[in-house]
Amino acid sequence: DLAIVQTVDFFPPVVDDPWTFGAIAAANAMSDVYAMGGEVLLALNIAAFPQDLDPAILAVIFQGGAEKVAEAGAVIAGGHTLYDAEPKYGLAVTGIIHPERVLSKGGARPGDALVLTKPLGTGIVLTAARDGVDAAGHATAAEKSMLALNRHASHLAREFEAHAMTDVTGFGLLGHAREMADRSEACLVLSAAAVPALPGALEYAAQGIVTGGAGRNREGLAGRVTVAPGVPEPVEHLLFDAQTSGG
């Protein structure tokens, strides 16, 4: 009556603030456990840092990760670090679940409703912030979304007996939808007008601020995704946008 869910994820900083980076990286790493309907039990830090980086900054990154793991009701049980030219941080996560209650990407059925639990556009908004064109607190809204654990959404999915589930990260909404479609042997239909966007995401996309990850997603999905005529180009960019700690 007990199964283990094991996952690992880490990446370079997506925001400037060390605590926020650590917490976002931790939330992102734990999402795979929640995407299977599990609960996080413990995690191991995985980190790489330049030798000349102030150790105080490293401590704050670790603190952000540890506090996010504690919010999930789990613990940091150790980890491993090494030197690298660019900072990187994340977690190897161990979760638990009853083997008969595992949710996977397969299992979607004709007639099912698709539910997205977070708005899209983290890639676009963070790129705008790095380019110095972010306005009106849009980056702050994106950070708040990325910091939110998917734990409660996972509880609701189990309560309402979801047939299939995935988290939305680097492959974007359309890339992860394709994975669900393939494994479920079903066609997924999205209403572009109903897809929620982070504040500023569509405006920046209209200005041509898009990510390399979105371009790779578009190339990888060629022939697998059909976009109806009339869907605005900024919305199309949003659907391909690579997400960090998405819904």
Side-chain angles (χ1 to χ4, degrees):
D1 62 355
L2 184 66
I4 287 177
V5 181
Q6 190 72 33
T7 184
V8 61
D9 206 312
F10 68 110
F11 46 66
V14 293
V15 295
D16 291 333
D17 181 72
W19 186 95
T20 305
F21 165 51
I24 289 173
N28 181 79
M30 291 187 286
S31 282
D32 279 331
V33 173
Y34 297 133
M36 297 187 73
E39 288 292 337
V40 177
L41 185 65
L42 60 86
L44 301 173
N45 284 322
I46 297 178
F49 300 114
Q51 287 181 272
D52 58 352
L53 191 65
D54 184 350
I57 296 176
L58 315 186
V60 176
I61 293 173
F62 284 135
Q63 181 184 3
E67 290 182 11
K68 188 56 62 172
V69 170
E71 182 184 333
V75 295
I76 298 284
H80 185 72
T81 61
L82 52 82
Y83 291 127
D84 199 359
E86 183 180 31
K88 301 175 184 70
Y89 174 68
L91 301 174
V93 185
T94 299
I96 55 175
I97 190 172
H98 193 289
E100 295 179 0
R101 297 172 187 158
V102 174
L103 284 165
S104 70
K105 296 172 185 175
R109 307 170 187 173
D112 281 354
L114 293 171
V115 178
L116 178 63
T117 64
K118 288 186 183 182
L120 300 177
T122 61
I124 295 171
V125 174
L126 293 177
T127 299
R130 282 195 295 268
D131 292 347
V133 297
D134 172 55
H138 293 155
T140 301
E143 290 175 7
K144 182 178 179 181
S145 177
M146 291 186 290
L147 285 168
L149 290 177
N150 283 319
R151 186 183 188 192
H152 183 54
S154 179
H155 292 169
L156 291 174
R158 296 203 308 262
E159 180 181 347
F160 289 94
E161 300 181 354
H163 298 150
M165 188 154 60
T166 185
D167 61 339
V168 180
T169 50
F171 294 139
L173 178 61
L174 291 182
H176 290 284
R178 181 201 62 80
E179 290 181 329
M180 292 187 72
D182 283 352
R183 286 161 176 73
S184 301
E185 298 184 347
C187 178
L188 272 59
V189 180
L190 307 178
S191 173
V195 176
L198 285 166
L202 291 174
E203 292 90 329
Y204 296 135
Q207 297 171 26
I209 299 174
V210 293
T211 64
R216 290 188 291 273
N217 289 339
R218 189 184 293 270
E219 292 174 6
L221 292 169
R224 307 299 302 278
V225 172
T226 301
V227 180
V231 173
E233 187 175 9
V235 175
E236 192 173 331
H237 287 314
L238 189 74
L239 297 173
F240 284 105
D241 188 46
Q243 303 302 289
T244 299
S245 191

